[in-house]
Amino acid sequence: MAYLGALAALFVTALWSQNSFTGLIEREWSLDSFRTLFTVDVYRTIAFRTVGVAALVTVVDAVVAFPIALYMSKVARPGLRRFLLVAVLMPLWASYLVKAYAWRGMFSEGGLVSSVLGVVGLDSPGYGLIATIVTLAYLWLPYMILPIYAGLERLPNSLLEASSDLGGRSGTTIRRVVLPMVFPAVVAGSIFTFSLSLGDYIAVRIVGGTNQLLGNVVYDNVGAANNLPFAAAVATVPVVVMLVYLAAVRRTGAMESI
Amino acid sequence: MTISRPTRIVLRCLTILILGVIYVPLALVVVNSFNVNKTFAWPPKDFTLEWWKRAAESQGALDALWVSVRVGLAATVIALVLGTMIAFALQRFRFYGREAVSLLVILPIALPGIVTGIALNNAFRTIFGWELGFVTIVIAHATFCIVTVFNNVIARLRRMGSQLEQASADLGASGLTTFRLVTFPLLRSSLLAGALLAFALSFDEIIVTTFTAGAQEQTLPIWIFNNLFRPNQAPIVNVVAAVLITVSVIPVWLAQKLSGDAESMGAGR
């Protein structure tokens, strides 16, 4: 209950204002925070960038998670399957910060990424948006693998056999039978990857270079600027985006497979 | 098995590749903690135990570790009591607003951490007028730790049914005796699993913690974050990170053994 109260209070705070002279919070109703949010270019850019990064992270995770989930559920033998499940889940519980830090090392000057890319004559992207997307995709990958794996487990093998009896090759079967059936599971996984990316600011600070996402704006306004109303207004953006997203995916039936 | 041989080989190679990408960065941190060089330069020229010795003597890291352990224990105890009570209430009774309560328990981990963090920060400071410190960290952590205990206990309650408790009552045991001799022993392993996961969750949490910790209290993740950008501390951060990678595996492995299914591992955030 206390949590819901805190959440409600947050939205009320978003409607208060900060006295630009004293820096204190005034408990007067005002839409100033939201006006700033929508009219200042920087914040609009950051909002779009955040949603774009979250969407890309989700796509990368779905593309990477599908083959490993397919292998685990339909190809690997039971013993190997259990091993793979643990192998995939273990990093889920390794410290978040340590994982982001590990990627800081990977992308650092003279780090592994630049040595590997150097072999094929490419430069490391260094710290920036690409590093942010890779790191976030890495952090949330298990949240995508698990639902897809669960979805594939529920998919009866007889369907695959029927498809091949009717002359479908593996590629066709995967494209026309497997993918449509696991789509709700992918959407379920995307809820986690998308939501977690929207709110992140630590990974961005660690590998993002000079780029900012919404989370950083919130953090800076709570800490240094002490402008809680504005921070609260910014924080409503991911919540609203999430609610819209959840409403949109309800139709796919993904909610049941979370 | 109708997936053709070439496809299976492709899938196997992709799986190995992905697992490689999952483990290489973590392995790199561990290797780097023995690296003579202070930067991430690859490949390392020579190895040393020097940084491990220095990390063991680093007062800041040790203090932060101690705060993390105390916060984790306190939050776990609160989560155990409240999570179990909510699980019992939802599983055994039908009441108005039941669905809302179960949604409410999950909300702190379903919303982005930064929203939870700022909501609690706002509540503590502007609504209650509290100073941020040890107590606020514990309350914040307990809020999202409840979920893991709740999930584990409610899963066990569903499986166990209520026949044994009814039998105990038929044989004349009071409610308390039944709980002590029948219900609690049946729940014990799931409680332990929930507690381990809750502790691991609290130990790792940084986003919510930065919003609810005062200037004096530093948990281990916050200490790492603060020292991340200081070149001089890099080797010690490496060691702490390497230790965390190794240690974080233990409670999860134990919890999985105790609850007996892999599902519960993914249940918490």
Side-chain angles (χ1 to χ4, degrees), chain A:
Chain A
M1 273 303 140
Y3 181 72
L4 202 65
L7 214 54
L10 175 66
F11 298 124
V12 173
T13 310
L15 295 171
W16 288 342
S17 60
Q18 188 190 35
N19 187 315
S20 54
F21 186 61
T22 59
L24 291 175
I25 294 163
E26 290 178 341
R27 301 197 174 190
E28 275 172 23
W29 302 108
S30 131
L31 285 171
D32 280 355
S33 302
F34 284 102
R35 202 170 299 135
T36 316
L37 185 62
F38 288 119
T39 50
V40 178
D41 279 350
V42 179
Y43 297 122
R44 228 180 1 218
T45 315
I46 291 176
F48 282 121
R49 183 190 295 151
T50 308
V51 174
V53 165
L56 269 172
V57 166
T58 304
V59 171
V60 171
D61 273 345
V63 170
V64 174
F66 183 73
I68 194 169
L70 188 62
Y71 182 78
M72 273 160 63
S73 59
K74 298 294 176 209
V75 182
R77 290 174 210 295
L80 181 61
R81 183 179 307 179
R82 255 198 308 281
F83 168 78
L84 285 174
L85 206 54
V86 172
V88 166
L89 288 176
M90 223 48 126
L92 177 64
W93 289 93
S95 167
Y96 162 95
L97 199 60
V98 170
K99 281 186 279 183
Y101 178 62
W103 279 98
R104 187 176 170 83
M106 295 285 284
F107 278 109
S108 68
E109 245 172 85
L112 194 62
V113 170
S114 71
S115 341
V116 169
L117 287 179
V119 174
V120 284
L122 289 171
D123 276 337
S124 161
Y127 302 136
L129 274 187
I130 294 180
T132 308
I133 292 168
V134 170
T135 306
L136 289 176
Y138 178 79
L139 284 166
W140 317 138
L141 183 61
Y143 295 98
M144 187 61 100
I145 295 180
L146 275 185
I148 298 185
Y149 170 74
L152 285 169
E153 279 276 85
R154 281 195 295 268
L155 180 77
N157 284 330
S158 53
L159 275 179
L160 302 184
E161 279 156 24
S163 169
S164 84
D165 284 350
L166 292 168
R169 293 169 192 228
S170 295
T172 319
T173 307
I174 288 173
R175 204 175 63 244
R176 298 187 54 183
V177 179
V178 178
L179 279 181
M181 296 281 289
V182 295
F183 184 70
V186 176
V187 174
S190 77
I191 293 173
F192 290 106
T193 59
F194 194 68
S195 158
L196 289 167
S197 310
L198 277 184
D200 190 273
Y201 73 96
I202 305 266
V204 189
R205 289 265 305 268
I206 294 177
V207 295
T210 53
N211 291 290
Q212 283 208 319
L213 297 187
L214 283 174
N216 304 81
V217 179
V218 175
Y219 181 77
D220 292 342
N221 276 291
V222 172
N226 202 19
N227 188 347
L228 212 49
F230 186 64
V234 178
T236 53
V237 175
V239 176
V240 170
V241 172
M242 262 335 276
L243 289 178
V244 170
Y245 187 64
L246 286 177
V249 300
R250 264 170 78 112
R251 292 155 168 265
T252 64
M255 302 302 266
E256 283 90 58
S257 45
I258 291 180

Side-chain angles (χ1 to χ4, degrees), chain B residues 65-148:
Chain B
L65 173 69
W66 180 229
V67 172
S68 271
V69 169
R70 283 187 304 153
V71 167
L73 288 178
T76 304
V77 169
I78 298 175
L80 270 180
V81 174
L82 293 180
T84 313
M85 274 165 38
I86 299 174
F88 265 95
L90 290 188
Q91 168 66 17
R92 295 291 158 82
F93 306 103
R94 300 279 172 270
F95 56 90
Y96 178 74
R98 193 167 155 270
E99 295 296 312
V101 172
S102 69
L103 178 72
L104 211 57
V105 171
I106 302 172
L107 212 53
I109 58 158
L111 286 178
I114 197 156
V115 176
T116 306
I118 186 185
L120 289 169
N121 173 295
N122 185 34
F124 292 146
R125 279 172 48 204
T126 29
I127 313 286
F128 298 124
W130 292 348
E131 284 284 313
L132 296 181
F134 185 77
V135 176
T136 51
I137 311 177
V138 170
I139 297 175
H141 282 204
T143 328
F144 58 78
C145 284
I146 289 177
V147 188
T148 61

